[in-house]
Amino acid sequence: MTHASSNKWLSYALLILLGFVMIYPLLWLFVSSFKTNQDIFGSSKLFADTYVWNSYSLGWAGTGQYGFQHFFVNTLKLVLPTVVLTIVSSVIVAYGFSRFTFPLRTFLFSIMMATLMLPDATVMIPRYILFNKLGWLDTYLPFIVPSAFATSAFFIYMLIQFFRGLPRELDESATIDGCNSFMVLIRVLLPLCKPALFSVGIFQFIWTWNDFFNSIIYISSVKKFTVSLGLRLSLDASSAVSWNQVLAMSVVSVVPCIVLFFLAQKYFVEGISTTGLKG
Amino acid sequence: MARKKRSFRYIGLIYVLPWILGLLIFQLYPFIASFYYSLTDYNMVNAPKFIGLDNYKRIFMNDPGFTQALKVTSIYVVLAVPVKLAFALFVAVVLSAKLRAINLFRTIYYLPSILGGSVAISVLWRFLFMKEGVVNSLLANVGIPSIDWLGNPDIALYTLGLLSVWQFGSSMVLFLAGIQQIPSDLYEAGSIDGASKTRMFFKITVPLLTPIVLFNLVMQMVNAFQEFTGAFVITNGGPMKSTYLYALKLYEEAFTFFKMGYASALSWVLFAIIMVVTGIIFKTSNRWVYYEDGGKTK
């Protein structure tokens, strides 16, 4: 018994130590956003001697023509439709795969699973050329439109796994009560799969919010910059004067994701443990 | 009735239709087009000019940038992915113990993976590992002379790799889910036989987790081959191209020089490499992956 409890203390010690290493960079980021340049560099102390309180307001206002408020609104304009369309399209497709038999079903399912491994790099250039021809460059359409077509196999698979866990008797009794298949989905299954819908939505929100590569290739005018691009802009623009503002805006740019993560961390861990790919 | 039954056969197909269209427009068409473009000279201004295998010839015979990118990326993948997975497995085992506040720990360990690819985290890494940054200051406290984490071409790539290892959370959660599926009587039987913890880890836990190891390995590898944001924001490929990852090379050719044909050929070479490596992993997997049903359903 004593052996077991000493083991337990060892585990705790290890977890706390490692947890501190994991979280330290994020703590440092937050605290340092209130530091002066001297304290940001060349000091190992987490807390500083002098604090400055205007890094957030100055950083938020920005140095150029557009402030961070502008980039935030832009990002929401991009992310929210993408999230909504991803949820709707993925649910419909997952329902089709998990509840119906139809010609080529197994074949299509294997193709879908194979696309999980298809490197984005291979399709990115023709997509870019296609969007250019459609006149979609420097708009948010390259993000929004594909999401309406359930292009992420990860989410479909996650939802299929979830649907499989719901008893088919529910569908059958609703059908006997006169529901057509679409009503079965809307009235019976959707209320039951809220947790899965949340995890799809949250994952998509965070990934799209943080996405840098697609932002940098599709968005070119500063007026339409997202938070990611705005942050990089401020990193390039800052002439070694106000690093705390850059750190402050880094904090601000991850706050929505952190808040969302803590509100919904239950769904998160559930969602990723049913399939759990990226990251 | 018969007619109704027939129409019913296709209802599923209607639900799946959005995905089929998406597949054709945003995946299959670009996939094929990418191969076609790889055989052309195309700058987005003039029409694509068919040049056969010239792009590929140049890649393999006359492009030091490609050789460097391939070298750097291979080192990155071979180091970052296994270290990340080993770490994820280790933490998952510790976290699987029945401890208080376990959810808090899981949350903390998972958090870096959430913020993962964001520019903010890249900015943070740049500050932490600058020559006069906080990591060196911390090391100075224990008497370790300062290291040029991002400025030394022999070290910079490992500093980026560390960023990837720090984000072991999603692999960890998968391992954790797997560990919780392992029946506890296996461990009970093991401890009756007098097996040590270490022995049980290697004889019970690891073999039963190998399917998840396989999955994590493939997915993390595919992602690592395409790593971009960190290398772009933190080091921009430098110093001396020591962090010039493949995705940077691709980005440069496509979106800085607008050599779309050449970049497409590069993307196909990457695709081929990823397929070969995935193929090797799957081929050898029946030697090290343990399936409870003896591999019948695989």
Side-chain angles (χ1 to χ4, degrees), chain B:
Chain B
M1 196 62 205
R3 223 193 57 174
K4 200 173 171 207
K5 198 119 207 178
R6 188 201 296 263
S7 75
F8 197 65
R9 239 166 77 82
Y10 292 97
I11 280 187
L13 213 48
I14 292 170
Y15 285 108
V16 177
L17 194 62
W19 169 76
I20 296 178
L21 291 175
L23 176 79
L24 296 175
I25 304 167
F26 299 113
Q27 283 166 324
L28 196 62
Y29 158 73
F31 186 67
I32 296 163
S34 163
F35 187 68
Y36 164 71
Y37 286 129
S38 79
L39 304 173
T40 66
D41 184 9
Y42 184 36
N43 58 8
M44 304 230 346
V45 180
N46 307 318
K49 193 176 123 219
F50 190 83
I51 54 167
L53 293 173
D54 283 6
N55 286 328
Y56 292 95
K57 274 188 210 147
R58 221 195 99 202
I59 289 174
F60 290 113
M61 299 191 204
N62 194 17
D63 187 350
F66 165 77
T67 321
Q68 177 66 9
L70 190 60
K71 192 183 113 197
V72 169
T73 310
S74 310
I75 298 173
Y76 181 80
V77 171
V78 167
L79 286 176
V81 175
V83 173
K84 184 178 187 169
L85 292 191
F87 213 58
L89 178 59
F90 170 73
V91 175
V93 168
V94 180
L95 278 180
S96 67
K98 287 190 176 56
L99 299 168
R100 286 173 64 170
I102 203 80
N103 279 328
L104 178 71
F105 285 115
R106 286 180 190 166
T107 307
I108 288 175
Y109 290 136
Y110 192 51
L111 192 56
S113 305
I114 289 295
L115 308 174
S118 68
V119 173
I121 296 301
S122 297
V123 170
L124 167 65
W125 223 247
R126 201 161 124 172
F127 276 89
L128 288 177
F129 288 96
M130 273 177 179
K131 198 134 197 289
E132 58 283 7
V134 66
V135 173
N136 276 339
S137 306
L138 285 170
L139 292 177
N141 288 344
V142 287
I144 298 173
S146 103
I147 297 167
D148 198 359
W149 296 97
L150 297 168
N152 182 340
D154 294 330
I155 298 174
L157 187 63
Y158 303 99
T159 311
L160 289 187
L162 212 56
L163 175 56
S164 161
V165 174
W166 185 57
Q167 298 159 24
F168 65 80
S170 51
S171 312
M172 176 203 73
V173 173
L174 277 182
F175 282 133
L176 202 54
I179 290 172
Q180 280 158 353
Q181 306 274 310
I182 299 176
S184 59
D185 46 325
L186 285 178
Y187 292 107
E188 281 156 24
S191 60
I192 288 167
D193 291 346
S196 68
K197 284 244 156 153
T198 327
R199 199 177 149 76
M200 287 203 276
F201 173 74
F202 285 108
K203 293 291 170 189
I204 301 172
T205 315
V206 172
L208 287 173
L209 288 181
T210 45
I212 303 173
V213 174
L214 174 67
F215 182 82
N216 275 338
L217 183 63
V218 171
M219 294 326 287
Q220 294 296 341
M221 181 209 63
V222 174
N223 287 337
F225 265 116
Q226 301 178 82
E227 172 56 34
F228 176 79
T229 306
F232 186 76
V233 176
I234 302 173
T235 54
N236 201 9
M240 291 167 69
K241 300 221 162 188
S242 61
T243 59
Y244 191 57
L245 292 178
Y246 205 98
L248 259 65
K249 167 79 177 163
L250 250 177
Y251 173 81
E252 219 173 72
E253 296 290 349
F255 304 106
T256 311
F257 307 134
F258 290 96
K259 291 185 186 163
M260 290 303 184
Y262 192 64
S264 297
L266 282 169
S267 80
W268 266 79
V269 172
L270 180 66
F271 176 70
I273 293 171
I274 291 177
M275 283 304 114
V276 167
V277 178
T278 314
I280 292 172
I281 293 174
F282 275 112
K283 258 256 146 35
T284 59
S285 71
N286 49 19
R287 272 186 242 155
W288 57 269
V289 173
Y290 171 86
Y291 292 102
E292 274 173 272
D293 56 5
K296 273 181 239 112
T297 55
K298 193 191 154 236

Side-chain angles (χ1 to χ4, degrees), chain A:
Chain A
M1 205 59 221
T2 48
H3 181 68
S5 73
S6 78
N7 250 337
K8 214 164 215 183
W9 287 113
L10 198 70
S11 296
Y12 272 123
L14 201 67
L15 283 176
I16 291 170
L17 188 75
L18 208 60
F20 188 70
V21 175
M22 291 297 288
I23 205 85
Y24 187 86
L26 297 172
L27 286 178
W28 184 86
L29 176 66
F30 180 70
V31 176
S32 299
S33 63
F34 298 101
K35 286 179 183 168
T36 59
N37 276 3
Q38 290 96 306
D39 283 331
I40 290 174
F41 301 112
S43 161
S44 63
K45 284 183 294 183
L46 183 57
F47 298 101
D49 301 326
T50 36
Y51 287 96
V52 282
W53 303 106
N54 60 4
S55 51
Y56 280 82
S57 55
L58 290 176
W60 185 254
T63 45
Q65 205 178 347
Y66 302 99
F68 258 82
Q69 186 191 339
H70 192 81
F71 301 143
F72 257 77
V73 173
N74 282 345
T75 312
L76 286 174
K77 279 186 202 158
L78 186 164
V79 171
L80 293 181
T82 305
V83 167
V84 172
L85 289 171
T86 301
I87 295 177
V88 172
S89 64
S90 307
V91 161
I92 290 174
V93 172
Y95 179 58
F97 269 123
S98 56
R99 284 300 206 251
F100 301 93
T101 48
F102 49 85
L104 297 178
R105 183 179 168 280
T106 326
F107 172 72
L108 290 172
F109 184 77
S110 342
I111 299 267
M112 192 201 67
M113 294 307 289
T115 60
L116 272 179
M117 281 189 291
L118 178 70
D120 284 334
T122 327
V123 290
M124 135 198 125
I125 290 161
R127 259 192 218 172
Y128 181 85
I129 296 168
L130 175 70
F131 293 147
N132 178 41
K133 282 180 184 153
L134 293 168
W136 289 1
L137 295 190
D138 209 20
T139 73
Y140 304 141
L141 293 173
F143 300 83
I144 297 169
V145 176
S147 69
F149 291 91
T151 38
S152 175
F154 170 73
F155 294 131
I156 303 176
Y157 183 60
M158 203 160 113
L159 289 166
I160 287 177
Q161 293 294 84
F162 198 87
F163 276 130
R164 277 182 183 159
L166 301 175
R168 270 172 184 263
E169 286 78 22
L170 288 172
D171 309 28
E172 280 157 20
S173 60
T175 313
I176 291 165
D177 289 347
C179 279
N180 64 34
S181 64
F182 191 68
M183 276 157 69
V184 170
L185 173 66
I186 301 287
R187 295 223 181 127
V188 183
L189 298 176
L190 274 195
L192 292 171
C193 61
K194 263 190 208 148
L197 299 184
F198 272 123
S199 30
V200 169
I202 294 161
F203 270 116
Q204 183 68 316
F205 183 95
I206 290 178
W207 288 342
T208 318
W209 183 277
N210 286 334
D211 176 62
F212 177 63
F213 188 81
N214 289 303
S215 307
I216 202 173
I217 69 175
Y218 291 125
I219 310 296
S220 49
S221 56
V222 181
K223 189 177 186 294
K224 291 176 183 163
F225 266 19
T226 58
V227 170
S228 302
L229 295 173
L231 197 56
R232 203 181 100 84
L233 190 69
S234 72
L235 190 65
D236 288 346
S238 296
S239 46
V241 186
S242 43
W243 289 117
N244 54 15
Q245 290 176 31
V246 175
L247 294 178
M249 287 310 100
S250 299
V251 172
V252 170
S253 79
V254 295
V255 160
C257 300
I258 292 184
V259 169
L260 209 58
F261 174 66
F262 275 99
L263 287 179
Q265 55 117 338
K266 196 181 87 181
Y267 303 125
F268 245 102
V269 175
E270 260 171 40
I272 200 146
S273 43
T274 40
T275 38
L277 313 168
K278 299 228 176 169

